[in-house]
Amino acid sequence: MIRLNEHFTKLKASYLFADIAKRVNAYVAVNPAKPVIRLGIGDVTEPLPPVCIAALHAATEEMANRATFRGYGPEQGYAFLREAIAQHDFAALGTKIEPDEVFVSDGSKCDIANIQEIFAADTRLAIPDPVYPVYVDTNVMAGRTGMNRDGRYDGIIYLDSTVANGYVPAPPKEAADLIYLCFPNNPTGAVATRAQLAAWVAYARQHSAIILYDAAYESYVRTPGIPRSIYEIEGARDVAIEFRSFSKLAGFTGLRCAYTVVPKTLQARDAAGHQQAVHALWHRWHTTKFNGVAYPVQKAAAAVYTPEGQKQTRALTDFYLGNAKLIREAMTKLGLSCIGGDNAPYIWVNVRRDSWEFFDLLLNRAQVVITPGAGFGRCGEGHIRISAFNTHENVTAALTRIATAVM
Ligand code: MLT
C-alpha cells in the first residue's frame, strides 16, 4: 500500500486555530443559550472599505462583458497592482522595490507555508518562540525537523521571546540559514526597532542566510521610527523576503489577497556551490503552482492605494487599534502585565498561569474565546493572546465578562 509522508506524524494532531474552533463549537453545542464572543483567531469583523466594494462591482461588470472579460491573468499579479504596491508600500518609504519583485497571491499564510519548498532539506532554521504556527508546521511537514520533544522540534534553533528581551529576540550565536521574523509580531504584538532589525540583517549577511519577514500587520504601526518594512534597513534587499497582506489592512480575510517581495538581488547557493537568484525560483514556483488572484479581487486591492482607499483603511486599522487600547487598559486594571496593542492588533497578556486552563476558564465562565499562549510555543505558556478584531460592542462586553470571571 502507498506510504504516507511520515513527517506529518510528528505534528500535533490539529492546527492551533482548528483545535480552538473545535473546543468552542463543542461548548456552543452544549450551551446554545450562552452567546460566545470570539477574540481568538485574528479575523476581521468590519465590512470592506467602500472603495474596495466599488472596485469589486466595477470589475464584476467588466467580467460580464465580452469586450472587457478576462480569463487567466498573470500568475504573479496584474501590473496595475504590482506597480501600485511598489510605489505606495516601498518607494514612499524610500526603499526601492521593482514591480516585478512583487508576487501577488491569495494569502500570506500560503506564501509563508510554500516558500520553504525552494530551500534545501538540510536548511538550518531559526524560528521565534512563541510563533505563528505555520512557520514551524510547514517545515515539519517538509522533513526539516526531528521529533517533537516537550513542545519543541529537534533541529530548530528556537529564538526565545520573553519578558527578559522585551519579546524581541536577538540573533543567536549559532549559524542559521533561514530565519523567520514577524513584526509587528503575531502573537505578542511586539515591534522591532530599526537597530534590532539592523542586527538581524547584519547576522543574515554574515551567515549568507535569508530572513523571511512577515509584515502582515505593518499597517498597525503608529510609533514614528518603527520600521514598517525590512527593506528600510540598509542591505536587506540582499538577504530578505517580505510578506504582506490585505487581510488585516483592508479586511480581506474572506476576499483573499496578499503579496510577497523577492528582490532580484537575493541569492542562494545550489549543490554545486553556484549562486542562483531566488527570484527566478519563486517565479518558477508561481507559474507552476498558482494561477493568480481573481481579477476583481486585485482591483479591490489596488483601490486601497487611492487617496480614498488610504483614508478608509487608516480608519479601519484605527478602529481595531481603539479596541486594542481598551483591551490593554482592562488587562492592566486587572493587574496583568501585557504588551502589544499599540502598534499591533494583538495583546499578549502575562496571566501567570496555565494558558489552556485560563482559556477554559474564560470560555466556561465568561463565554469569551482567546488564544492560549502555549499554542504558539513553549515560551507562550503563562500568556494569552487577545485579538482586537471584533466590534466595539463585543470587545466592551467581553472585557466586562472577563473582569467578572477572573475577580
Ligand atoms: C491569527 O489569528 O493568528 C491569524 O488570523 C491567523 C492568520 O492570519 O492566518
Side-chain angles (χ1 to χ4, degrees):
M1 190 183 282
I2 185 166
R3 284 185 48 223
L4 293 168
N5 176 351
E6 284 297 316
H7 301 302
F8 276 63
T9 62
K10 299 175 192 162
L11 290 166
K12 274 195 61 210
S14 59
Y15 181 62
L16 172 63
F17 293 108
D19 200 9
I20 291 172
K22 201 168 139 200
R23 287 182 187 227
V24 175
N25 292 342
Y27 179 85
V28 170
V30 180
N31 300 280
K34 294 185 177 170
V36 164
I37 300 177
R38 291 163 206 264
L39 304 179
I41 191 165
D43 193 6
V44 296
T45 52
E46 303 310 296
L48 291 168
V51 278
C52 299
I53 295 293
L56 280 172
H57 281 301
T60 305
E61 280 308 312
E62 285 184 59
M63 296 296 263
N65 287 297
R66 185 172 299 281
T68 48
F69 169 80
R70 289 166 194 251
Y72 291 127
E75 294 92 342
Q76 302 76 26
Y78 284 102
F80 64 78
L81 179 56
R82 300 171 90 191
E83 280 160 14
I85 289 168
Q87 190 194 326
H88 292 274
D89 286 349
F90 297 101
L93 293 176
T95 59
K96 190 149 178 55
I97 293 298
E98 298 295 338
D100 65 355
E101 294 176 322
V102 173
F103 294 78
V104 176
S105 78
D106 62 355
S108 283
K109 180 182 183 178
C110 321
D111 285 350
I112 292 172
N114 291 326
I115 196 106
Q116 49 76 29
E117 286 186 22
I118 64 177
F119 300 108
D122 61 355
T123 296
R124 292 166 299 180
L125 306 165
I127 305 185
D129 176 358
V131 75
Y132 180 46
V134 174
Y135 312 162
V136 174
D137 289 2
T138 51
N139 279 291
V140 174
M141 290 172 179
R144 260 184 221 102
T145 73
M147 297 307 288
N148 189 317
R149 282 177 231 281
D150 201 15
R152 284 193 163 179
Y153 290 95
D154 291 341
I156 294 180
I157 301 167
Y158 283 94
L159 308 167
D160 290 0
S161 310
T162 62
V163 72
N165 58 17
Y167 300 94
V168 179
K173 290 196 176 52
E174 312 93 302
D177 303 311
L178 195 61
I179 303 141
Y180 288 77
L181 294 178
C182 172
F183 294 108
N185 189 259
N186 179 14
T188 69
V191 286
T193 62
R194 192 171 292 274
Q196 286 167 324
L197 283 188
W200 276 110
V201 169
Y203 171 89
R205 294 182 71 90
Q206 183 194 344
H207 295 283
S208 303
I210 288 181
I211 297 171
L212 300 180
Y213 192 74
D214 182 353
Y217 300 94
E218 64 74 36
S219 58
Y220 289 82
V221 171
R222 293 293 183 272
T223 304
I226 295 291
R228 302 172 78 107
S229 164
I230 188 122
Y231 302 120
E232 290 182 59
I233 309 299
E234 179 89 35
R237 268 189 64 88
D238 302 333
V239 291
I241 293 174
E242 182 162 303
F243 303 87
R244 296 257 193 129
S245 169
F246 292 88
S247 284
K248 314 295 160 60
L249 159 68
F252 274 44
T253 56
L255 204 56
R256 311 304 309 148
C257 196
Y259 67 86
T260 292
V261 178
V262 184
K264 283 189 233 145
T265 43
L266 190 73
Q267 310 261 316
R269 201 169 36 83
D270 65 19
H274 301 127
Q275 297 203 346
Q276 303 263 359
V278 173
H279 182 277
L281 267 71
W282 188 238
H283 190 275
R284 186 72 172 81
W285 188 99
H286 249 249
T287 46
T288 305
K289 295 202 175 187
F290 193 56
N291 262 336
V293 174
Y295 173 69
V297 173
Q298 293 194 54
K299 286 300 258 187
V304 164
Y305 296 105
T306 61
E308 269 312 293
Q310 293 288 286
K311 260 192 243 150
Q312 291 170 11
T313 50
R314 177 73 179 205
L316 197 57
T317 49
D318 276 347
F319 169 81
Y320 291 123
L321 281 170
N323 286 345
K325 187 162 181 276
L326 292 180
I327 297 168
R328 249 190 105 122
E329 285 167 2
M331 292 303 112
T332 308
K333 222 162 139 191
L334 290 175
L336 300 171
S337 60
C338 49
I339 63 151
D342 37 14
N343 291 296
Y346 297 124
I347 296 89
W348 187 241
V349 190
N350 190 346
V351 291
R352 301 187 297 267
R353 56 174 127 167
D354 183 276
S355 62
W356 277 107
E357 233 173 77
F358 203 74
F359 169 90
D360 285 332
L361 178 138
L362 291 187
L363 180 60
N364 289 299
R365 288 214 212 142
Q367 291 79 50
V368 173
V369 181
I370 50 81
T371 311
F376 297 106
R378 193 193 280 171
C379 292
E381 189 48 282
H383 295 74
I384 60 165
R385 189 193 77 174
I386 308 183
S387 158
F389 292 114
N390 213 311
T391 62
H392 180 71
E393 294 68 31
N394 277 347
V395 168
T396 313
L399 293 174
T400 308
R401 290 194 205 171
I402 293 174
T404 313
V406 302
M407 286 294 196

